[in-house]
Amino acid sequence: DAANLVDLVTSDITSVAAIDEDTAFLTGDGAGKPLGILPSSGNGNSLTEVASGNASALTADGIKGLKRGIASQYRQNGRWVANSDTYALIEKLKDGSGQYIFGDLSDSGMLLGREALESDAMPDVAATAYPLLFADMSGYWVVERAGLTIVRFQDSNTGINKVEYHVRRRIGGRPVETWKMAVMDVNAS
């Protein structure tokens, strides 16, 4: 009978839903969920691939090349997407004199002048993986049938001292304008 219980449950549900949507929008396979930009963490949508310049690691040249992987008219609205471990590797890249090339991304939230978004749904850096995305996200379309609804039931069907919450959301998404997106392919050439 706590007055704020519904608010707490609603907050938890929306947080979990946001994490699930993030994963689906990036790596969903389209079966009962949105089709992600990188289905199953691969490049199933044939986005522009830019080689990292190393068979198992990222390079500064590869990262700069990825930004140029989409046409200039979309680059202005481009955003980076990677997981925390990938950004940590980027922050540790040094030039020939031992100086860090990129600043602390967690402080600035920027990489090469563009917003750096973090998502645990992105794959880690590994040979032939796609750990870094640069994209104008307007190329990914999200459609929603109805907003998130949460209905609370406490009646003779739920039982004595029992409450049920029914959550419903119908949402879909897919990359439509794939020319606005490019991915880093971890390989030497």
Side-chain angles (χ1 to χ4, degrees), residues 6-84:
V6 173
D7 292 337
L8 293 172
V9 170
T10 301
S11 175
D12 283 349
I13 289 169
T14 54
S15 295
V16 170
I19 292 168
D20 289 346
E21 287 173 10
D22 181 51
T23 300
F25 293 155
L26 287 170
T27 60
D29 62 11
K33 63 177 96 51
L35 177 63
I37 296 170
L38 299 172
S40 303
S41 301
N43 188 10
N45 293 316
S46 300
L47 305 182
T48 299
E49 293 184 17
V50 175
S52 67
N54 184 295
S56 61
L58 300 178
T59 66
D61 288 345
I63 294 166
K64 290 182 177 191
L66 181 57
K67 186 176 177 185
R68 300 270 180 196
I70 61 175
S72 60
Q73 64 264 35
Y74 309 117
R75 204 174 303 136
Q76 180 177 344
N77 295 322
R79 288 174 175 63
W80 301 96
V81 183
N83 68 33
S84 181

Side-chain angles (χ1 to χ4, degrees), residues 9-189:
V9 170
T10 301
S11 175
D12 283 349
I13 289 169
T14 54
S15 295
V16 170
I19 292 168
D20 289 346
E21 287 173 10
D22 181 51
T23 300
F25 293 155
L26 287 170
T27 60
D29 62 11
K33 63 177 96 51
L35 177 63
I37 296 170
L38 299 172
S40 303
S41 301
N43 188 10
N45 293 316
S46 300
L47 305 182
T48 299
E49 293 184 17
V50 175
S52 67
N54 184 295
S56 61
L58 300 178
T59 66
D61 288 345
I63 294 166
K64 290 182 177 191
L66 181 57
K67 186 176 177 185
R68 300 270 180 196
I70 61 175
S72 60
Q73 64 264 35
Y74 309 117
R75 204 174 303 136
Q76 180 177 344
N77 295 322
R79 288 174 175 63
W80 301 96
V81 183
N83 68 33
S84 181
D85 292 340
T86 299
Y87 284 134
L89 293 172
I90 292 170
E91 289 172 343
K92 293 176 184 177
L93 290 172
K94 296 180 181 180
D95 63 18
S97 60
Q99 298 297 312
Y100 290 108
I101 298 170
F102 304 106
D104 186 337
L105 303 176
S106 62
D107 286 344
S108 69
M110 304 290 277
L111 175 61
L112 295 174
R114 298 295 181 269
E115 188 176 13
L117 305 173
E118 195 171 305
S119 172
D120 289 333
M122 289 295 287
D124 289 328
V125 174
T128 69
Y130 300 98
L132 186 60
L133 170 71
F134 184 71
D136 174 347
M137 294 300 181
S138 70
Y140 187 88
W141 293 5
V142 175
V143 292
E144 189 171 18
R145 170 84 168 125
L148 178 71
T149 58
I150 302 172
V151 180
R152 179 183 185 270
F153 291 98
Q154 184 176 13
D155 58 24
S156 59
N157 292 327
T158 61
I160 297 172
N161 294 326
K162 291 186 179 178
V163 176
E164 288 182 10
Y165 290 93
H166 293 237
V167 180
R168 182 174 180 210
R169 183 148 193 208
R170 292 178 61 191
I171 192 165
R174 72 175 304 119
V176 176
E177 300 169 330
T178 56
W179 58 87
K180 294 181 177 182
M181 304 171 189
V183 292
M184 176 69 63
D185 180 11
V186 180
N187 73 56
S189 56

